């Protein structure tokens, strides 16, 4: 039987997943991104300095990553580098955004796939916040609406945590996490100007100053977020993993892994980074070569040529195209399907022994869970990888603040050339993000974004290889084919953002 899971909730954008179920197992999955946007079309002819502003509007969740990728691409085209302060401020803004995004993803977008939110109805404690939630849920339920206490109910049927204390503890953290997300965003806005859509991230650095009062305010906020990550977020992910250990084996993608590296530690953004870049295929990591990236469109709603490289990319929408089932292209690396995102970042870094703190955390957690690092390619693996990276990033951001030189320049001089081109690569929370820019007559002649969820939610390529999420869904056993909480847990582990994917 065929079952459509869309519209999938607790993700960004409009995604349907069409599954084929045979004897209670997913035998085929099609990821269907259901909208078109066209940023690459309307960027043409504009001033290149518009790009880091306009591309941030691709998304309200990961805007800074687009600003950073665009700034790197422009720096590459203008042949400039940010001064040390500018690069550090980029990191402080982008890193804080990762912390916000991981907390949002776990607590608001995924935890309620496992935590029994109805435990609140039996709550007898004295916590005022929880009592307020209880009252609200009771009042909503008494109104007998179709969506009784959204976003908590209705929910998919399935097995949830049945330990009342754990459920209530997790709900309390769900509420606290929102405060921490705000603090991470506030920290980012100290240097980024605002959240979302920074006005300060610029090619060549940051328009905000490195002032001591701003640094102190940033540190205070990030310290609080770091403590929450250590004391609550990581233990909560470990607790869920302990109760649902089968999810170390569910949601396994069947290709390679790729990361462009995150948080540069040198003025050259492609130099040494906190998390290393690389393409991991068959146990071997090689440096990423942007020339190996192509995008197939046999099953995507575009009439432009298939298999084009980033430089030669084309985009001609064709809504009624025969056989096409999505607005996402199918990016491939050397023809291979790649997963990008939290697990890819960890596995690529781990294989190269780049970050000893990350390695120590991975080894410790993998040992406790009795899994191998390869099993991070799973539903639980993606959740754990986000939490461990959050801890490493928070410590790094605090150390970065000490490296700022208050009063020293934060911006390089820049001049837009008549012609040129540039690649800018970074890691958004959801994975590898590439911007490519070509300038002719001082204006944007071509702009191409190859975006994390375009990789993960990609359709089959011209060879028929499924995308990462499609491949991870195949083989999933489902108890209730009409609802498939198991498949939804797989989808949520990727944290797809369809607004980004179709851009
Ligand atoms: Ni709209 Fe994004 C991230 C980017 S995902 S959230 O992270 O780039 O494709």
């Amino acid at each position: 039987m065929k079952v459509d899971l869309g519209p999938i909730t607790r993700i960004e954008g409009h995604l349907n997943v069409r599954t084929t179920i045979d004897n209670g197992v997913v035998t085929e999955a099609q990821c269907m991104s259901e909208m078109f946007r066209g940023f690459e079309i309307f960027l043409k002819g504009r001033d290149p300095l518009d790009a880091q502003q306009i591309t941030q509007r691709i998304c309200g969740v990961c805007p800074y990553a687009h600003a950073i990728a665009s700034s790197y691409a422009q720096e590459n085209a203008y042949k400039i580098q940010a001064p040390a302060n500018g690069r550090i401020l980029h990191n402080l803004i982008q890193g804080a955004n990762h912390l916000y995004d991981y907390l949002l993803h776990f607590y608001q977008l995924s935890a309620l796939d496992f935590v029994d939110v109805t435990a609140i109805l039996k709550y007898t404690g004295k916590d005022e916040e929880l009592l307020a939630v209880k009252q609200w849920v009771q009042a909503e339920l008494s109104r007998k609406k179709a969506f009784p206490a959204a976003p908590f109910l209705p929910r998919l049927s399935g097995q949830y945590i049945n330990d009342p204390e754990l459920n209530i503890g997790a709900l309390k953290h769900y509420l606290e996490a929102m405060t921490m997300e705000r603090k991470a965003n506030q920290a980012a806005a100290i240097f980024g100007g605002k959240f979302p859509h920074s006005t300060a991230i610029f090619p060549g650095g940051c328009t905000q100053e490195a002032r001591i009062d701003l640094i102190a305010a940033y540190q205070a906020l990030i310290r609080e977020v770091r403590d929450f990550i250590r004391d609550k977020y990581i233990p909560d992910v470990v607790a869920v993993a302990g109760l649902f250990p089968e999810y170390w084996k569910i949601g396994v993608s069947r290709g390679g892994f790729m990361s462009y590296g995150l948080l540069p530690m040198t003025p050259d953004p492609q130099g040494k980074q906190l998390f290393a870049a690389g393409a991991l295929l068959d146990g071997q990591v090689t440096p990423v070569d942007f020339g190996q990236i192509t995008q197939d469109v046999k099953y995507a709603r575009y009439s432009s040529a298939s298999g084009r490289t980033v430089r030669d990319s084309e985009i001609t929408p064709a809504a009624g195209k025969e056989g096409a089932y999505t607005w996402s292209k199918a990016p491939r690396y050397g023809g291979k399907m790649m997963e990008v995102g939290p697990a890819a970042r960890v596995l690529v870094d781990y294989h190269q022994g780049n970050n000893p703190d990350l390695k120590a955390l991975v080894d410790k957690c993998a040992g406790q869970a009795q899994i191998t690092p390869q099993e991070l390619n799973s539903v639980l693996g993606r959740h754990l990888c986000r939490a461990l990276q959050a801890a490493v990033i928070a410590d790094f951001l605090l150390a970065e603040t000490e490296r700022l030189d208050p009063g020293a320049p934060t911006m390089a001089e820049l001049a837009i050339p008549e012609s040129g081109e540039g690649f800018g690569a970074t890691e958004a929370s959801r994975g590898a993000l590439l911007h490519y820019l070509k300038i002719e007559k001082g204006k944007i002649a071509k702009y191409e974004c190859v975006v994390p969820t375009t990789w993960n939610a990609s359709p089959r390529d011209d060879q028929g290889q499924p995308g990462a999420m499609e491949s991870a869904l195949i083989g999933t056993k489902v108890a209730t084919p009409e609802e498939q909480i198991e498949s939804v847990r797989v989808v949520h582990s990727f944290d797809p953002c369809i607004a980004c994917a179709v851009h």
Side-chain angles (χ1 to χ4, degrees), residues 247-502:
Y247 279 88
W248 292 116
K249 305 230 180 297
I250 297 174
V252 178
S253 76
R254 311 283 169 186
F257 297 91
M258 186 164 69
S259 165
Y260 297 149
L262 177 63
L263 301 173
M265 300 162 88
T266 62
D268 173 6
Q270 309 303 325
K272 179 163 171 65
Q273 305 188 64
L274 180 69
F275 301 129
L280 173 60
L281 271 163
D282 307 321
Q284 298 289 322
V285 180
T286 51
V288 176
D289 169 7
F290 300 140
Q292 296 286 316
I293 297 169
T294 52
Q295 298 184 85
D296 283 356
V297 296
K298 182 173 176 184
Y299 296 100
R301 296 191 182 103
Y302 300 100
S303 58
S304 25
S306 196
R308 290 291 181 114
T309 62
V310 178
R311 259 202 188 95
D312 298 326
S313 63
E314 284 182 357
I315 181 157
T316 312
K321 181 173 155 183
E322 188 85 19
Y325 62 85
T326 177
W327 287 101
S328 295
K329 293 180 178 178
R332 294 294 183 263
Y333 186 75
K336 297 276 174 34
M337 180 270 275
M338 308 295 261
E339 174 175 339
V340 300
R345 269 194 297 281
V346 167
L347 289 169
V348 165
D349 192 277
Y350 187 93
H351 267 77
Q352 299 176 86
N354 173 65
N355 188 313
D357 297 336
L358 183 67
K359 184 172 186 318
L361 279 172
V362 168
D363 287 341
K364 182 174 154 214
C365 290
Q368 283 169 354
Q370 298 185 318
I371 58 154
T372 62
Q374 281 67 34
E375 286 173 277
L376 295 173
N377 173 7
S378 60
V379 168
L380 289 175
R382 293 182 194 99
H383 289 300
L384 183 65
C385 286
R386 282 189 193 87
L388 300 185
Q389 281 169 86
V392 174
I393 290 172
D395 284 339
F396 176 76
L397 296 179
L398 290 170
E400 277 285 83
T401 59
E402 305 286 345
R403 292 189 271 269
L404 280 168
D405 182 2
T410 58
M411 276 290 299
E413 293 285 329
L414 65 84
I416 298 171
E418 270 300 290
S419 64
E421 64 164 1
F423 285 90
T426 186
E427 285 286 306
S429 312
R430 288 157 198 75
L433 174 63
L434 182 65
H435 283 206
Y436 169 74
L437 156 83
K438 186 171 181 192
I439 302 170
E440 280 170 10
K441 297 189 182 134
K443 301 281 186 219
I444 296 173
K446 182 191 278 284
Y447 207 98
E448 180 68 20
C449 307
V450 189
V451 182
T453 301
T454 319
W455 287 93
N456 285 340
S458 84
R460 285 175 185 267
D461 57 33
D462 292 6
Q463 275 66 51
Q465 297 180 90
M469 210 154 70
E470 291 181 342
S471 79
L473 281 160
I474 294 169
T476 305
K477 287 198 187 100
V478 298
T480 316
E482 298 75 19
E483 298 193 35
Q484 298 185 39
I485 189 169
E486 303 85 353
S487 297
V488 172
R489 285 169 176 156
V490 173
V491 171
H492 280 170
S493 73
F494 284 90
D495 192 13
C497 170
I498 306 308
C500 275
V502 299

Side-chain angles (χ1 to χ4, degrees), residues 203-216:
C206 180
T207 59
Q208 179 58 288
E209 297 168 277
R211 269 193 351 238
I212 288 179
D213 57 326
L214 301 181
I215 297 170

